[in-house]
Amino acid sequence: SKDGALLATSVPRYNIFFDPIAVADTTFDKQVSALADSLSRLFRYKTKAEYVSMFKTARANYKAGKKSGTRRLKIATKATLDEYKRLRKFPVFKYGQNRGGLISETVYVREKPYGKLTKMIAFWWLSGLKVRITITLKAVTDCRKKDVCMVMRG
């Protein structure tokens, strides 16, 4: 924009996965309940019991020989940086990727801080074919002394 404010920017988001097989048996047994409780409080997608069941089922299936889909359990998609930083301190995850099973992928998402403000553009055609483009917060109602006034949404 003219005053230097960002109309759109790319921000990092994180896809979070869990590998329950990478965690040692003793660590998994002692801390899986605390991990599930922390995840259910942060994301609220599932309850503590659902997370515990998902982790234990995946681990049991891997040990039984059903290895497809058990090494990469989806925890969250497009988590913010603050959520990711909190997540890395959770039980089990605090041990990292190799010992804690935390897998994260960085994805860049285009965000528009002003929301619909950047999508609403008003065009005024003045006499003499001069064009003025402005970004407004609301629909333009003042079209005095103008030949044509048109509001377009993108």
Side-chain angles (χ1 to χ4, degrees), residues 108-151:
Y108 289 92
V109 177
R110 193 82 170 149
E111 281 194 0
K112 299 172 180 88
Y114 294 106
K116 294 192 178 203
L117 169 68
T118 58
K119 292 183 178 182
M120 188 182 293
I121 300 177
F123 294 94
W124 288 276
W125 281 269
L126 304 174
S127 59
L129 296 177
K130 292 182 182 176
V131 178
R132 188 173 101 187
I133 301 173
T134 59
I135 298 175
T136 60
L137 285 172
K138 59 182 181 175
V140 177
T141 57
D142 183 23
C143 292
R144 302 178 257 150
K145 299 181 184 176
K146 305 208 178 28
D147 297 331
V148 178
C149 182
M150 183 168 69
V151 176

Coordinates of all heavy atoms in Angstrom, one line a residue, residues 108-151:
Y108 N 4.3 -22.6 4.0 CA 4.1 -21.2 4.0 C 2.7 -20.9 3.5 O 2.3 -21.3 2.4 CB 5.1 -20.5 3.2 CG 6.5 -20.5 3.9 CD1 7.4 -21.5 3.7 CD2 6.8 -19.5 4.9 CE1 8.6 -21.6 4.4 CE2 8.0 -19.6 5.6 CZ 8.9 -20.6 5.3 OH 10.0 -20.7 6.0
V109 N 1.9 -20.1 4.2 CA 0.5 -19.7 3.9 C 0.4 -18.2 3.6 O 1.0 -17.4 4.4 CB -0.4 -20.2 5.0 CG1 -1.8 -19.8 4.8 CG2 -0.3 -21.6 5.3
R110 N -0.3 -17.9 2.6 CA -0.5 -16.5 2.3 C -1.6 -15.9 3.2 O -2.7 -16.4 3.2 CB -0.9 -16.3 0.8 CG -0.8 -15.0 0.3 CD 0.6 -14.6 -0.1 NE 0.6 -13.4 -0.8 CZ 1.6 -12.5 -0.8 NH1 2.7 -12.8 -0.1 NH2 1.6 -11.4 -1.5
E111 N -1.3 -14.9 4.0 CA -2.3 -14.3 4.8 C -2.5 -12.8 4.5 O -1.5 -12.1 4.1 CB -1.9 -14.4 6.3 CG -2.1 -15.7 6.9 CD -2.0 -15.7 8.4 OE1 -1.8 -14.7 9.0 OE2 -2.3 -16.8 9.0
K112 N -3.7 -12.4 4.6 CA -4.0 -11.0 4.4 C -4.4 -10.4 5.7 O -5.6 -10.6 6.2 CB -5.1 -10.9 3.3 CG -4.7 -11.5 2.0 CD -5.9 -11.6 1.1 CE -5.4 -12.2 -0.2 NZ -5.5 -13.7 -0.2
P113 N -3.6 -9.6 6.3 CA -3.9 -9.0 7.6 C -5.1 -8.2 7.7 O -5.8 -8.1 8.7 CB -2.6 -8.2 8.0 CG -1.6 -8.5 7.0 CD -2.3 -9.2 5.9
Y114 N -5.5 -7.5 6.6 CA -6.6 -6.7 6.6 C -7.9 -7.4 6.1 O -8.9 -6.7 5.9 CB -6.4 -5.4 5.8 CG -5.3 -4.5 6.4 CD1 -4.0 -4.5 5.9 CD2 -5.6 -3.8 7.6 CE1 -3.1 -3.7 6.4 CE2 -4.6 -3.0 8.1 CZ -3.3 -3.0 7.6 OH -2.4 -2.2 8.2
G115 N -7.8 -8.7 5.9 CA -9.0 -9.4 5.5 C -9.6 -9.0 4.2 O -8.9 -8.9 3.2
K116 N -10.8 -8.7 4.3 CA -11.6 -8.3 3.1 C -11.2 -6.9 2.6 O -11.6 -6.5 1.5 CB -13.1 -8.4 3.3 CG -13.5 -9.8 3.5 CD -15.0 -10.0 3.5 CE -15.3 -11.4 3.6 NZ -16.6 -11.8 3.1
L117 N -10.5 -6.2 3.4 CA -10.1 -4.8 3.0 C -9.3 -4.9 1.7 O -9.5 -4.0 0.9 CB -9.3 -4.2 4.1 CG -8.6 -2.9 3.8 CD1 -9.6 -1.8 3.6 CD2 -7.6 -2.5 4.9
T118 N -8.4 -5.8 1.6 CA -7.6 -5.9 0.4 C -8.4 -6.4 -0.8 O -7.9 -6.3 -1.9 CB -6.4 -6.9 0.7 OG1 -7.0 -8.2 1.0 CG2 -5.5 -6.4 1.7
K119 N -9.6 -6.9 -0.6 CA -10.3 -7.4 -1.7 C -11.3 -6.4 -2.3 O -11.9 -6.6 -3.3 CB -11.1 -8.7 -1.3 CG -10.2 -9.9 -1.0 CD -11.0 -11.1 -0.7 CE -10.1 -12.3 -0.5 NZ -10.8 -13.5 -0.2
M120 N -11.6 -5.4 -1.5 CA -12.6 -4.4 -1.9 C -11.9 -3.2 -2.6 O -11.2 -2.5 -1.9 CB -13.5 -4.0 -0.8 CG -14.7 -3.1 -1.2 SD -15.6 -2.6 0.2 CE -16.3 -4.1 0.7
I121 N -12.1 -3.1 -3.8 CA -11.4 -2.0 -4.5 C -12.5 -1.2 -5.3 O -13.3 -1.7 -5.9 CB -10.4 -2.5 -5.5 CG1 -9.3 -3.3 -4.8 CG2 -9.7 -1.4 -6.3 CD1 -8.3 -4.0 -5.7
A122 N -12.4 0.1 -5.1 CA -13.4 1.0 -5.7 C -12.7 1.7 -6.9 O -11.6 2.2 -6.7 CB -13.9 2.0 -4.7
F123 N -13.3 1.7 -8.0 CA -12.8 2.4 -9.2 C -13.7 3.6 -9.5 O -14.9 3.5 -9.5 CB -12.8 1.5 -10.4 CG -12.0 0.3 -10.3 CD1 -12.4 -0.9 -9.8 CD2 -10.6 0.4 -10.6 CE1 -11.6 -2.0 -9.7 CE2 -9.8 -0.7 -10.5 CZ -10.3 -1.9 -10.0
W124 N -13.1 4.7 -9.7 CA -13.8 5.9 -10.1 C -13.3 6.4 -11.5 O -12.1 6.5 -11.7 CB -13.6 7.1 -9.1 CG -14.2 6.9 -7.8 CD1 -15.5 7.2 -7.5 CD2 -13.6 6.4 -6.6 NE1 -15.7 7.0 -6.2 CE2 -14.6 6.5 -5.7 CE3 -12.4 6.0 -6.3 CZ2 -14.4 6.1 -4.4 CZ3 -12.1 5.6 -5.0 CH2 -13.1 5.6 -4.1
W125 N -14.2 6.5 -12.4 CA -13.8 7.0 -13.7 C -14.2 8.5 -13.7 O -15.4 8.9 -13.6 CB -14.6 6.3 -14.8 CG -13.9 5.0 -15.1 CD1 -13.0 4.8 -16.0 CD2 -14.2 3.8 -14.5 NE1 -12.7 3.4 -16.0 CE2 -13.4 2.8 -15.0 CE3 -15.1 3.4 -13.4 CZ2 -13.4 1.5 -14.7 CZ3 -15.1 2.0 -13.1 CH2 -14.3 1.1 -13.7
L126 N -13.2 9.3 -13.7 CA -13.4 10.8 -13.7 C -13.4 11.3 -15.2 O -12.9 10.6 -16.1 CB -12.3 11.5 -12.9 CG -12.2 11.0 -11.5 CD1 -11.0 11.6 -10.8 CD2 -13.4 11.3 -10.7
S127 N -13.9 12.5 -15.3 CA -13.8 13.1 -16.7 C -12.4 13.3 -17.1 O -11.5 13.6 -16.3 CB -14.5 14.4 -16.7 OG -13.9 15.3 -15.7
G128 N -12.1 13.1 -18.3 CA -10.7 13.1 -18.8 C -10.0 11.8 -18.7 O -8.8 11.7 -18.9
L129 N -10.7 10.7 -18.4 CA -10.3 9.3 -18.4 C -9.1 9.1 -17.4 O -8.3 8.3 -17.5 CB -9.8 8.9 -19.8 CG -10.9 8.8 -20.8 CD1 -10.3 8.4 -22.2 CD2 -12.0 7.8 -20.4
K130 N -9.1 9.9 -16.3 CA -8.2 9.6 -15.2 C -8.7 8.5 -14.3 O -9.9 8.5 -14.0 CB -7.9 10.9 -14.4 CG -7.2 12.0 -15.2 CD -7.0 13.2 -14.3 CE -6.3 14.3 -15.0 NZ -6.2 15.5 -14.2
V131 N -7.9 7.6 -13.9 CA -8.4 6.5 -13.0 C -7.7 6.7 -11.7 O -6.5 6.8 -11.6 CB -8.0 5.2 -13.7 CG1 -8.5 4.0 -12.8 CG2 -8.6 5.0 -15.0
R132 N -8.5 6.6 -10.6 CA -8.0 6.6 -9.3 C -8.5 5.3 -8.6 O -9.6 5.0 -8.6 CB -8.6 7.8 -8.5 CG -7.9 8.0 -7.2 CD -8.4 9.3 -6.5 NE -9.4 8.9 -5.6 CZ -10.1 9.8 -4.9 NH1 -10.0 11.1 -5.2 NH2 -11.0 9.4 -4.0
I133 N -7.5 4.6 -8.0 CA -7.8 3.4 -7.3 C -7.6 3.5 -5.8 O -6.5 4.0 -5.4 CB -7.0 2.2 -7.9 CG1 -7.2 2.0 -9.3 CG2 -7.3 0.9 -7.1 CD1 -6.3 1.0 -10.0
T134 N -8.5 3.2 -5.0 CA -8.4 3.3 -3.6 C -8.9 2.1 -2.9 O -9.8 1.4 -3.4 CB -9.1 4.6 -3.0 OG1 -10.5 4.4 -3.2 CG2 -8.5 5.8 -3.5
I135 N -8.4 1.7 -1.8 CA -8.8 0.6 -1.0 C -9.6 1.2 0.2 O -9.2 2.0 0.9 CB -7.7 -0.2 -0.5 CG1 -6.9 -0.8 -1.7 CG2 -8.1 -1.4 0.4 CD1 -5.7 -1.5 -1.4
T136 N -10.8 0.7 0.4 CA -11.7 1.2 1.4 C -12.2 0.2 2.3 O -12.2 -1.0 2.0 CB -13.0 1.8 0.7 OG1 -13.6 0.8 0.0 CG2 -12.6 3.0 -0.2
L137 N -12.7 0.6 3.5 CA -13.2 -0.4 4.5 C -14.6 -0.7 4.2 O -15.1 -1.8 4.6 CB -13.1 0.3 5.9 CG -11.7 0.3 6.5 CD1 -11.7 1.1 7.7 CD2 -11.2 -1.1 6.8
K138 N -15.4 0.1 3.6 CA -16.8 -0.2 3.3 C -17.1 0.2 1.9 O -16.3 0.8 1.2 CB -17.7 0.6 4.3 CG -17.5 2.1 4.2 CD -18.4 2.7 5.3 CE -18.2 4.3 5.1 NZ -19.1 5.0 6.0
A139 N -18.3 -0.2 1.5 CA -18.7 0.1 0.1 C -18.8 1.6 -0.1 O -19.2 2.4 0.8 CB -20.1 -0.5 -0.2
V140 N -18.3 2.1 -1.2 CA -18.3 3.5 -1.4 C -19.7 4.0 -1.7 O -20.4 3.5 -2.6 CB -17.4 3.8 -2.6 CG1 -17.4 5.3 -3.0 CG2 -16.0 3.3 -2.4
T141 N -20.1 5.0 -0.9 CA -21.4 5.5 -1.1 C -21.4 7.0 -1.6 O -22.4 7.5 -2.1 CB -22.2 5.6 0.3 OG1 -21.4 6.3 1.2 CG2 -22.4 4.2 0.8
D142 N -20.3 7.6 -1.5 CA -20.1 9.0 -2.0 C -19.6 9.0 -3.4 O -18.4 8.9 -3.6 CB -19.2 9.7 -1.0 CG -19.1 11.2 -1.4 OD1 -20.1 11.7 -2.1 OD2 -18.2 11.9 -1.0
C143 N -20.4 9.1 -4.4 CA -20.0 9.1 -5.8 C -20.3 10.4 -6.4 O -20.6 10.5 -7.6 CB -20.7 7.9 -6.5 SG -20.1 6.3 -6.0
R144 N -20.3 11.5 -5.6 CA -20.7 12.8 -6.1 C -19.6 13.2 -7.2 O -18.4 12.9 -7.0 CB -20.7 13.8 -5.0 CG -21.6 13.6 -3.9 CD -21.5 14.6 -2.9 NE -20.8 14.0 -1.8 CZ -20.0 14.6 -0.9 NH1 -19.8 15.9 -1.1 NH2 -19.4 14.0 0.0
K145 N -20.1 14.0 -8.1 CA -19.2 14.6 -9.1 C -18.4 13.6 -9.9 O -17.3 13.9 -10.4 CB -18.3 15.6 -8.5 CG -19.0 16.7 -7.8 CD -18.0 17.7 -7.2 CE -18.7 18.8 -6.4 NZ -17.8 19.7 -5.8
K146 N -18.9 12.4 -10.0 CA -18.2 11.4 -10.8 C -19.1 10.8 -11.9 O -20.3 10.7 -11.7 CB -17.7 10.2 -9.9 CG -16.9 10.8 -8.7 CD -16.0 9.9 -8.1 CE -15.1 10.5 -7.0 NZ -15.6 11.6 -6.2
D147 N -18.5 10.5 -13.0 CA -19.3 10.0 -14.1 C -19.9 8.6 -13.8 O -21.0 8.3 -14.0 CB -18.5 10.0 -15.4 CG -18.1 11.4 -15.8 OD1 -18.8 12.4 -15.5 OD2 -17.0 11.5 -16.5
V148 N -19.0 7.7 -13.3 CA -19.4 6.4 -13.0 C -18.7 6.0 -11.7 O -17.5 6.3 -11.5 CB -18.9 5.4 -14.2 CG1 -19.2 4.0 -13.8 CG2 -19.5 5.8 -15.5
C149 N -19.4 5.3 -10.9 CA -18.8 4.8 -9.6 C -19.2 3.3 -9.5 O -20.4 2.9 -9.6 CB -19.4 5.5 -8.4 SG -18.6 4.9 -6.9
M150 N -18.2 2.4 -9.4 CA -18.5 1.0 -9.4 C -17.6 0.3 -8.3 O -16.4 0.6 -8.2 CB -18.2 0.4 -10.7 CG -18.5 -1.1 -10.9 SD -18.4 -1.7 -12.5 CE -16.7 -1.6 -12.9
V151 N -18.2 -0.5 -7.5 CA -17.5 -1.2 -6.4 C -17.4 -2.7 -6.9 O -18.3 -3.3 -7.2 CB -18.2 -1.1 -5.1 CG1 -17.4 -1.9 -4.1 CG2 -18.3 0.3 -4.6

